[in-house]
Amino acid sequence: MGPEARIRHIRTLPARQAETADWPAWVPAELRAAYRQTGAGRLYAHQVEAAEALHAGRHVVVATGTASGKSLATQLPGLAAVCGAPACDGVAAHPTGEATVLYLAPTKALAADQLEALQELAETVGAAGPAGGIRPASYDGDTDPQTRQWVRRHANVVLTNPDMLNAGILPNHRGWAQFLARLRYVIVDEAHTARGIFGSHTALLLRRLRRVARSYGADPVFAGASATSGSPAESFARLIGEACPNQDPSTNHDAHRTVVAVTRDSSPHAPVDVYLCESAASEISGDNGAPLKRSLTVEAADLLTDLVVAGRRTLTFIKSRRGAETIAAVARDQLAEIDPALRERVAAYRSGYLTEERRQLEEALRTGQLLGVASTPALELGIDIAGLDAVIIAGWPGTRASFFQQLGRAGRAGQRGAAFFIAGDDPLDAYLLETPETIFDTAVEDAVTDPLNPHVAAPHLLAAAQEMPLVPEDMGQEGLFGPLEWLVDSLTSQGHLRRRPRGWFFAHDDVSAASWVRLRSDGAGPCTIVNAEDGTVIGDIGAAQAQSQAHPQAVYVHQGRSYLVEELDLEQGTVLVTPADPPFYTQARETTSIEVMQTLREQDWGDFQLRFGEVEVTSAVIGFQRKALGSSEVLSDEPLDLPPSTLRTHGVWITAPETALVRAGVIVEHVPGALHAAEHAMIGLLPLLTSSDRWDIGGVSTALHRDTELPTIFVYDGHPGGAGFAERGFDMALQWLRATEETIAACDCPEGCPRCVQSPKCGNRNSPLHKQGALNLLRAAAGEASAG
């Protein structure tokens, strides 16, 4: 880090001693011996607790720390069943006694890592069980057609991802009949990542899987592996479509299996020293004369360089693709001046790489060939990388679950670890520096999912109808899909479904309904990035991100190499780029307008009113800024002419008459700036209360809105139909307002900065903003809310 960087807080996470237990008696001797050969002599107590519950037929979520053995805990009952362990009474089993296991991972890298471990185990087990041993296989977009055919016919442990389950397995379930009829266990790895829109899609996908499996006579048990999270049993129950009784699971044996949460971690872990750091001041001043903070990426790159020079194996996490590339590039350049050999031992890792690149990087990290890696959250997940000395977390990762998942990588091989959190120029990061107890002494967030969101549910209902006819029993309070009868009627009236005596059928014979499901984005499929000079494919980018990250003249970085975007063609799904090495990066600016469609909930706080409802947002990328590498100084501001987009979603809004704002201390000419500043800060702080990311949320403020006819601040979900974040803000409004107020008050800048009221994605160049006015407004609103 820079010489003036400040350590604001140090917290040592204490060492944890191992608590072991005996192997369950139902584990076949061959499987037990194979595990012992791979180093698992005795099990941890929490592994046995989870495995026993799963074997007894209860759904289980294991919510323990990084490297605590969640994989073994969730896989053991299924592998035992494959090797011939008899099913408990009440557990659906195939007449032959054979069993299959479906493993779902959010990323290909995680599935590939698990496949390697399972293949080693399978070789050691040999031909145990009625099916002749464990036959694991991967089934994803990289699997060639010939191998796919073998997997369908012969594999009994299939590793895949939600995308392939949606597009490849469920629509072709008849080809999977043998596998599905024997399906005993479904493992959902990294279940805490199934939140927001992606989580809602995953929840509906798992309901489709359960429905199809039941048609073949199977009723699989679900096992979830999760980072520590709030209310893990309730979250996992929502995810898989299962009731979660409030009584003791050990006493409940009704038709609904209970969801058992295993949360007491009995695995050993060395102590980890966690440092919360503030970026140093740079030599460049902002518009208000105050020195700007050094760039987050430069701070992280400096620290990564120091740790690599010291021989410390280090992972650096940052949320953005560009950030990961920049950190790696800066560190490599610095290392080249110190020791050229070290330059090649640092790399970036992120989504969008080609398969071969990903696999090479993963292997280099495992073997120790790489000493330093700058990664997006792709490596936060459970890829087995032992022997790490340190972790750098550049900017708040969005949730406490992710924060502890990332820092849990440090000290994985038993040695004392170090984790550095470098706060970015963001209101939430600033708040966390001032209140470290919010990180360490507050319960981890609950995952927010909404499988009843009609925008998410509609394509899944169509896909389910194409898989097999929908029937009334699929809907309603007791049905897998819940009370969505009205949506089925709507899809029927639109001509997408046909009602017949056997149920509702998908009405389009020449279309795959599953292709209408967008698990990870809300628009068209990914855009392919092509080098215009030689036609080579560089990578891909989601259509939702293309306008802001791959617009004409944008700088796109891939594996440390920079490109300038020449053309963006959304219709053809292509981005043409040319190699370049500019001394700047680019950041898009957007403008947004909002219309209230329907108010669903409301609270009156005297002069202030809080509303939640349906809104329509129209936005457009109108320009971009060129910013200097390292300092983030604005070099130029360029216009763009791109088509606008419309979003129907959910939002929360606060209104107050101008006279109330004046009484609160906001003079009339400062009302627009006060509203604008408060909006920015509220967006920045909402992720504190929800499992969202700042970029999942949008906002608009206006001194006079045409629908409310009052000064109004809107904050909305950035996904069609909503994602549950705005409603969580409505439910926790007082806590949200207080945290926002405290963050602005604690910032010592005179007029506003990125750490309090400025936003990196503001389409109005962060103007007008009035910091003190925002503080007065928030205090008045919070005071009225607490009084009401």
Side-chain angles (χ1 to χ4, degrees):
M1 290 181 290
E4 304 303 323
R6 293 188 293 167
I7 295 175
R8 296 286 301 275
H9 183 79
I10 302 174
R11 178 74 64 98
T12 297
L13 305 183
R16 188 174 58 238
Q17 301 301 315
E19 181 184 340
T20 60
D22 293 332
W23 286 80
W26 44 263
V27 178
E30 302 92 337
L31 182 59
R32 193 180 312 180
Y35 269 118
R36 283 174 173 160
Q37 256 187 263
T38 59
R42 282 171 62 81
L43 299 181
Y44 301 128
H46 71 273
Q47 291 176 317
V48 174
E49 180 187 355
E52 290 283 17
L54 287 166
H55 181 66
R58 297 195 180 100
H59 304 303
V60 172
V61 57
V62 185
T64 54
T66 310
S68 59
K70 293 190 286 285
S71 294
L72 189 153
T74 54
Q75 293 172 12
L76 181 60
L79 297 179
V82 168
C83 291
C88 280
D89 292 342
V91 176
H94 195 263
T96 64
E98 296 178 1
T100 60
V101 177
L102 184 67
Y103 168 92
L104 289 170
T107 65
K108 293 178 184 177
L110 180 53
D113 189 73
Q114 290 294 322
L115 177 62
E116 187 176 322
L118 286 168
Q119 287 172 332
E120 180 183 353
L121 195 68
E123 290 175 7
T124 309
V125 168
I134 303 169
R135 295 189 300 276
S138 178
Y139 194 86
D140 58 30
D142 299 332
T143 309
D144 63 76
Q146 187 174 352
T147 303
R148 290 186 185 190
Q149 188 175 18
W150 184 92
V151 173
R152 287 192 295 269
R153 293 180 179 176
H154 302 292
N156 51 24
V157 180
V158 172
L159 299 92
T160 189
N161 50 60
D163 311 78
M164 203 63 182
L165 179 62
N166 170 65
I169 296 177
L170 292 179
N172 305 299
H173 61 83
R174 291 168 185 83
W176 290 84
Q178 179 174 304
F179 181 89
L180 291 169
R182 292 160 174 77
L183 187 59
R184 188 88 59 87
Y185 291 95
V186 176
I187 299 168
V188 184
D189 208 349
E190 304 295 345
H192 65 282
T193 64
R195 56 185 174 86
I197 288 295
F198 175 66
S200 301
H201 275 299
T202 302
L204 287 155
L205 186 60
L206 294 179
R207 286 155 173 76
R208 285 166 52 198
L209 171 62
R210 295 183 72 178
R211 180 171 175 266
V212 169
R214 286 174 179 174
S215 74
Y216 290 99
D219 193 10
V221 178
F222 281 76
S226 171
T228 52
S229 64
S231 306
E234 288 82 355
S235 296
F236 196 60
R238 284 197 304 271
L239 187 66
I240 66 175
E242 186 70 20
C244 186
N246 293 323
Q247 62 196 84
D248 182 351
S250 64
T251 64
N252 189 295
H253 302 283
D254 62 10
H256 284 293
R257 299 190 191 98
T258 58
V259 174
V260 177
V262 176
T263 58
R264 192 173 69 85
D265 194 336
S266 54
S267 66
H269 200 289
V272 177
D273 299 315
V274 185
Y275 302 87
L276 305 188
C277 310
E278 182 180 30
S279 297
S282 72
E283 297 177 359
I284 299 172
S285 297
D287 295 337
N288 58 12
L292 298 173
K293 296 291 183 182
R294 295 179 84 231
S295 163
L296 179 65
T297 53
V298 171
E299 288 282 6
D302 285 353
L303 181 54
L304 178 60
T305 300
D306 292 342
L307 290 166
V308 169
V309 169
R312 308 298 187 197
R313 291 186 66 195
T314 305
L315 265 180
T316 301
F317 290 105
I318 191 166
K319 285 184 288 186
S320 72
R321 290 178 171 194
R322 182 172 59 208
E325 294 282 4
T326 303
I327 290 170
V330 172
R332 284 163 61 91
D333 289 346
Q334 292 178 160
L335 288 167
E337 298 178 3
I338 300 168
D339 181 353
L342 288 176
R343 185 182 190 278
E344 303 308 316
R345 302 191 68 182
V346 171
Y349 183 102
R350 60 169 176 79
S351 60
Y353 284 173
L354 301 178
T355 303
E356 298 78 13
E357 291 177 314
R358 290 198 313 268
R359 300 279 160 82
Q360 289 171 3
L361 288 168
E362 289 157 16
E363 182 62 22
L365 188 55
R366 285 193 196 95
T367 60
Q369 179 183 343
L370 286 174
L371 267 179
V373 171
S375 175
T376 57
L379 277 179
E380 167 191 323
L381 306 181
I383 301 172
D384 186 16
I385 302 163
L388 294 176
D389 299 298
V391 165
I392 302 168
I393 303 172
W396 183 247
T399 66
R400 297 179 189 87
S402 289
F403 179 80
F404 286 106
Q405 182 88 340
Q406 291 176 3
L407 71 82
R409 291 288 192 177
R412 286 189 72 154
Q415 76 275 27
R416 191 181 191 99
F420 301 86
F421 167 62
I422 305 175
D425 274 343
D426 180 274
L428 179 53
D429 289 34
Y431 179 78
L432 295 171
L433 282 184
E434 295 295 332
T435 59
E437 65 276 8
T438 306
I439 300 175
F440 298 105
D441 305 324
T442 305
V444 176
E445 310 91 343
D446 188 9
V448 176
T449 58
D450 181 15
L452 297 180
N453 178 336
H455 293 267
V456 178
H460 284 279
L461 289 174
L462 297 177
Q466 192 171 43
E467 288 150 11
M468 62 183 63
L470 285 170
V471 295
E473 291 76 18
D474 292 326
M475 271 74 68
Q477 294 297 335
E478 299 300 318
L480 277 172
F481 293 112
L484 289 174
E485 299 94 338
W486 69 272
L487 185 54
V488 171
D489 291 340
S490 175
L491 292 169
T492 303
S493 65
Q494 294 172 37
H496 296 309
L497 293 175
R498 290 198 187 102
R499 181 70 189 268
R500 295 291 184 266
R502 288 178 51 211
W504 288 269
F505 289 74
F506 185 57
H508 310 290
D509 295 334
D510 57 344
V511 176
S512 170
S515 68
W516 293 356
V517 174
R518 302 293 183 187
L519 291 175
R520 301 174 192 271
S521 65
D522 306 306
C527 295
T528 302
I529 301 168
V530 179
N531 187 334
E533 292 188 352
D534 57 17
T536 57
V537 174
I538 294 170
D540 59 60
I541 186 170
Q545 294 81 42
Q547 284 204 4
S548 59
Q549 297 181 26
H551 56 77
Q553 302 180 64
V555 176
Y556 180 80
V557 183
H558 181 90
Q559 276 287 56
R561 296 183 292 273
S562 296
Y563 300 84
L564 279 177
V565 175
E566 300 292 338
E567 182 182 344
L568 168 63
D569 189 334
L570 291 173
E571 288 188 6
Q572 298 297 320
T574 57
V575 180
L576 293 181
V577 300
T578 55
D581 190 23
F584 58 82
Y585 66 94
T586 52
Q587 193 167 65
R589 294 189 296 104
E590 298 183 49
T591 58
T592 306
S593 61
I594 194 165
E595 181 180 355
V596 175
M597 310 305 293
Q598 183 181 8
T599 299
L600 300 175
R601 300 173 64 187
E602 54 187 278
Q603 293 182 29
D604 287 326
W605 301 336
D607 287 332
F608 289 80
Q609 292 81 41
L610 180 70
R611 302 286 185 266
F612 167 78
E614 189 175 314
V615 297
E616 186 171 275
V617 182
T618 302
S619 59
V621 176
I622 60 166
F624 68 95
Q625 292 180 328
R626 293 188 178 99
K627 294 187 174 183
L629 291 172
S631 68
S632 296
E633 179 186 5
V634 176
L635 303 177
S636 68
D637 207 322
E638 307 293 340
L640 285 172
D641 184 17
L642 295 174
S645 60
T646 301
L647 172 71
R648 183 72 69 95
T649 187
H650 284 157
V652 57
W653 59 96
I654 295 176
T655 62
E658 191 176 88
T659 52
L661 299 181
V662 171
R663 284 196 298 272
V666 183
I667 61 177
V668 172
E669 55 264 37
H670 291 159
V671 166
L675 293 166
H676 194 191
E679 171 219 325
H680 283 177
M682 290 176 69
I683 292 172
L685 268 294
L686 185 56
L688 179 72
L689 310 176
T690 70
S691 54
S692 65
D693 184 276
R694 177 173 184 152
W695 300 87
D696 289 329
I697 309 161
V700 175
S701 59
T702 175
L704 181 63
H705 190 267
R706 63 188 179 192
D707 295 325
T708 66
E709 300 181 348
L710 291 167
T712 309
I713 297 170
F714 290 91
V715 177
Y716 59 86
D717 293 334
H719 301 275
F725 306 136
E727 187 164 20
R728 182 66 64 91
F730 180 91
D731 291 333
M732 305 182 73
L734 179 57
Q735 186 178 345
W736 183 17
L737 292 170
R738 290 291 190 206
T740 307
E741 172 200 335
E742 290 169 13
T743 299
I744 297 175
C747 186
D748 56 7
C749 72
E751 296 178 10
C753 70
R755 298 178 67 244
C756 57
V757 299
Q758 291 181 2
S759 169
K761 59 176 185 175
C762 180
N764 296 314
R765 303 185 183 92
N766 284 296
S767 178
L769 294 176
H770 197 274
K771 178 182 176 180
Q772 186 59 49
L775 191 57
N776 293 344
L777 183 159
L778 290 164
R779 282 174 175 161
E784 296 272 11
S786 59

